[in-house]
Amino acid sequence: MLTDENNDEDVSLFDAEEDAGQRLPKRTNMKHPVASFFHLFFRVCAILVYLLCERISNGFIGGMVAIILLLSCDFWTVKNITGRLMVALRWWNQVDEDGQSHWVFESRKVTIVIASTPKGHERSPAADDIFPFLQGMRKRQSSDSESRIFWLGLIVCPLVWVLFAFSTLFQFNIKWLPVVLMGLVLQGANLYGYIRCKVGGKTDFKNMATNYFGRQFLKQTLSKEEES
């Protein structure tokens, strides 16, 4: 008997996974080098322009426009391209027929076909070896290198803009505060969205597990009362 199970692909932060059985060899080759490059290019350039614009030239307007353009390109690229290609995650806003706005956070779904063991038959050792292998294949859909690059860039750069925000306040450099806040908001929005994509499936699974064990406990309690 064949059963289909649809699961959300688990793309862990930094791929720090613990395999229950055998550990598969890591896929370090980069499948999307161009996407990985532009995932870091715009946000790193925005930080460099912020640090160097006043030292190279005294033009505040030119530096501000360049930083805003780089931050806008980074937001669009990370939200629409690199997240989908590098870690198989995406988020967007959807307006339904009633005009209501909904935020959608999802991860790519993969289908694994598993043959169940008939009753009265023992599962062969080969089957015990292949099931962890299939589970590991599902977890390794994305390259380890690309996943690390994605999450490191996604987490570190907003922290840098937080430091810039504190430095502008302490140095009373108020003219740069709106630019810094824009960088923090745009990159923080992508970070929040992809974290919601990452933990959303696990949260649903925890709720399902809690409900299942609650029902089992209730059945056992009712059966004991009937016996007594």
Side-chain angles (χ1 to χ4, degrees), residues 43-56:
R43 53 184 52 209
V44 172
C45 287
I47 293 174
L48 292 177
V49 172
Y50 176 82
L51 293 174
L52 302 176
C53 64
E54 287 191 338
R55 299 181 181 179
I56 297 177

